Amino acid sequence: MSRLVVIGAGLGGLAAAVTAAARGHRVTLLEKNDWLGGKAAVLELPVPGGNGAYRFDMGPTILTMPRVLKRIFAEAGRDLAQALPMTRLDPQWRCFFADGRRIDLQEDIGAMAASMEAFAAGSGEGYRRFQAIARQLHEISERFFFWKPVGGVVDTMDWRAQFSGRALSDLKALRMGQSMAGVVRKEVPDPQLAQMLDHFCQYVGSSPYLAPAVLAGIGDMQVSEGIWYPQGGTRGVATALESLAGELGVELRPGCAATGIELEGGRVVAVKAGSERIACDAVVSNADAIRTMVELLPEGAIRAPKHEPACSGVVLYLGLDRRYPQLAHHSFVFSADPEAEFDAIYRQGIPAPDPSAYLAAPSVTDPSVAPPDGEALYILVHTPYIRPGQDWQTMLPGYRRVILDKLARTAGLEDIERHIVVERHLTPPDIRDRYATLDGAIYGLASHGRFAGAFKPSNRVKRIPGLYLAGGAAHPGPGMPMVLMSGWIAADALHKDLAAQGAA
């Protein structure tokens, strides 16, 4: 039986540990924090005076593509529906625009097309065309991009079929050289509706003006499988995986930080955790991919690829003594000028003066998150990753005011300040320090570049035998389903490699 060490117990690390253990490997899972789940953590804030508490998902709050999680549980012969009950959400988002208009993003394409047609004449058929393109891009991703280790276009190719009619048709359909924003606006030119569709790109923390067209496939991934709320919030995903890992015999070691990866003859032989040395046959690092190469491997072992971090963010956790009925479970409050907003964040490297805000108001689905008639309101505003000279301890009070003023103007939350009972926050440096991300990036590495922007470091590190990568900074990228898939891919690749070596 081979011995594996998984570094980092984020969702990717938990998925890798479960998959590898289910296939018969002996797995040790190291996590520097005292909880497992990485960003899928929970924050509980008691009401002053002891009358109840507010419960917040601290990181990801939107679960799509549940079949990825289902596949991971199936590795162990478990039924996801029994392990983690979930509620399907429709509308998926509620959208608030700067001029006071609103529209709900609905799961059903026909119903959504009708709503968009009423919002802006001619947009209904345009949305149907966009979703047809999204479906095609999703299907191509399933064939060439998902469920296998990929680090570049060469890894996606089936050399025996590359010149077939279908392969050439798929290559053309990828719209290489086009941006996601360009694909959206060709079919849906109305600026507000285009802004709504642009925000599929926010799952990967990147600008739709810089991201490749293939990311439009996210639109079909969401529509075809829905948006879900797990019992207990998205924290429930982490706890369900942790429980399954324990059942499978994974050695779970929270509060134990990996400090190095030892190589012998160029291949992985052990992990160091302070003064402890853990011999192993392979390592899955769920730590940031770039930081793994720079900080955990011996100096000079490998040259880390040059990748720009994705965006960071400011998160406000507001325990309120009232609910706002105009909010859906998930809402977006949009900026007046998305091009200016994305330019500020991604080119200038400054917080957007008029930002878009994502709000999760889960009490409409799960009243247990707050005292009666209260709300555990989660607010996320994207910001640049950490730039020199930016002192967020000084910047936060003013930017908090910008955010709350935005919610008051655009979403009708004029009185929110006086209804705050308890409050906490995260800034880019908090995110960097808490989760050991590259420059405070929430989503790993930016998906920028119209030709190769979708590619991340491969799950199989070819130059270091025995080293595999999982998480948002590895293939296939950020977002809950992709991070979970990255863990499965890493475990599947190492299982096949060890079997080929006769070590499985």
Side-chain angles (χ1 to χ4, degrees):
M1 180 187 294
S2 57
R3 181 167 188 184
L4 315 178
V5 175
V6 178
I7 298 172
L11 294 180
L14 285 167
V18 165
T19 302
R23 297 192 185 186
H25 301 280
R26 186 156 56 103
V27 182
T28 298
L29 179 58
L30 308 180
E31 168 54 50
K32 76 177 186 71
N33 290 314
D34 59 4
W35 73 90
L36 306 184
K39 298 184 188 75
V42 66
L43 173 65
E44 294 191 3
L45 299 178
V47 174
N51 186 23
Y54 296 91
R55 188 181 78 242
F56 301 86
D57 283 319
M58 293 195 71
T61 57
I62 297 178
L63 176 62
T64 60
M65 296 179 68
R67 64 186 169 86
V68 177
L69 193 57
K70 183 177 181 180
R71 184 168 181 173
I72 293 165
F73 273 76
E75 288 277 352
R78 303 298 201 277
D79 181 3
L80 175 63
Q82 291 186 352
L84 185 63
M86 295 189 287
T87 301
R88 197 166 191 148
L89 302 181
D90 199 14
Q92 297 183 329
W93 306 334
R94 179 157 295 153
C95 303
F96 296 82
F97 297 103
D99 62 0
R101 302 183 78 190
R102 302 178 187 177
I103 191 170
D104 286 350
L105 181 64
Q106 301 168 72
E107 181 178 313
D108 181 79
I109 292 175
M112 189 68 231
S115 293
M116 290 175 68
E117 185 65 26
F119 190 95
S123 295
E125 284 306 309
Y127 178 68
R128 290 181 186 274
R129 291 193 300 271
F130 169 78
Q131 282 295 351
I133 294 168
R135 169 63 62 89
Q136 185 180 36
L137 292 171
H138 180 192
E139 290 173 348
I140 293 171
S141 296
E142 290 285 348
R143 288 197 293 274
F144 296 108
F145 197 69
F146 293 163
W147 303 109
K148 62 181 180 180
V150 168
V153 68
V154 172
D155 296 325
T156 69
M157 292 182 177
D158 178 349
W159 292 100
R160 293 169 298 180
Q162 65 171 320
F163 296 114
S164 69
R166 182 174 185 179
L168 293 173
S169 175
D170 285 345
L171 186 63
K172 182 179 180 181
L174 285 173
R175 294 166 171 79
M176 297 181 76
Q178 297 183 42
S179 69
M180 179 176 170
V183 170
V184 168
R185 281 156 182 76
K186 182 178 180 182
E187 309 303 335
V188 183
D190 178 82
Q192 291 180 325
L193 296 178
Q195 186 177 22
M196 174 183 69
L197 299 178
D198 279 345
H199 269 63
F200 289 125
C201 199
Q202 296 310 288
Y203 288 126
V204 298
S206 300
S207 167
Y209 297 94
L210 301 174
V214 69
L215 293 185
I218 297 171
D220 181 68
M221 296 173 203
Q222 179 163 309
V223 164
S224 62
E225 294 193 54
I227 280 183
W228 298 81
Y229 179 78
Q231 187 177 64
T234 48
R235 175 62 187 164
V237 175
T239 55
L241 286 168
E242 178 182 348
S243 177
L244 180 54
E247 292 175 23
L248 295 172
V250 176
E251 181 186 7
L252 304 173
R253 297 184 59 181
C256 181
T259 53
I261 298 171
E262 184 179 324
L263 306 182
E264 187 175 290
R267 76 166 293 118
V268 169
V269 293
V271 171
K272 297 175 183 177
S275 60
E276 183 181 6
R277 179 183 185 274
I278 307 170
C280 59
D281 299 293
V283 168
V284 176
S285 179
N286 184 214
D288 178 87
I290 305 301
R291 294 189 68 171
T292 294
M293 297 177 193
V294 173
E295 299 174 16
L296 294 181
L297 287 171
E299 186 176 356
I302 193 171
R303 178 180 294 179
K306 292 184 178 180
H307 280 280
E308 181 185 16
C311 69
S312 188
V314 168
V315 190
L316 303 180
Y317 306 97
L318 306 182
L320 307 178
D321 63 9
R322 64 158 294 182
R323 297 179 184 176
Y324 289 91
Q326 67 268 41
L327 298 180
H329 187 125
H330 301 297
S331 298
F332 282 99
V333 180
F334 286 124
S335 65
D337 185 342
E339 288 194 66
E341 176 190 11
F342 289 124
D343 184 73
I345 297 169
Y346 297 103
R347 189 184 67 81
Q348 299 179 55
I350 60 172
D354 176 34
S356 295
Y358 160 72
L359 281 65
S363 66
V364 67
T365 306
D366 182 1
S368 72
V369 300
D373 301 319
E375 183 63 83
L377 187 65
Y378 168 110
I379 304 167
L380 168 64
V381 169
H382 285 162
T383 68
Y385 59 86
I386 296 169
R387 303 298 176 94
Q390 292 182 349
D391 178 2
W392 274 100
Q393 189 171 357
T394 302
M395 294 163 62
L396 179 64
Y399 207 55
R400 174 187 178 276
R401 183 74 267 151
V402 168
I403 294 168
L404 295 186
D405 287 348
K406 174 69 179 180
L407 301 185
R409 288 194 314 273
T410 308
L413 277 60
E414 292 94 348
D415 61 350
I416 188 171
E417 191 83 65
R418 70 172 183 263
H419 290 286
I420 298 173
V421 177
V422 289
E423 178 176 354
R424 295 291 186 276
H425 64 261
L426 290 178
T427 64
D430 296 327
I431 292 165
R432 175 198 60 197
D433 298 341
R434 181 179 174 87
Y435 303 118
T437 67
L438 182 65
D439 294 329
I442 296 175
Y443 307 92
L445 305 174
S447 298
H448 290 162
R450 296 185 180 189
F451 288 92
F455 294 109
K456 303 291 183 290
S458 174
N459 313 92
R460 179 190 283 121
V461 181
K462 294 178 181 178
R463 292 188 59 189
I464 309 288
L467 178 60
Y468 303 83
L469 303 175
H475 172 75
M480 286 186 72
M482 299 297 103
V483 166
L484 290 163
M485 189 187 294
S486 78
W488 184 94
I489 294 170
D492 181 67
L494 72 83
H495 177 75
K496 290 175 178 175
D497 291 348
L498 291 173
Q501 299 162 19

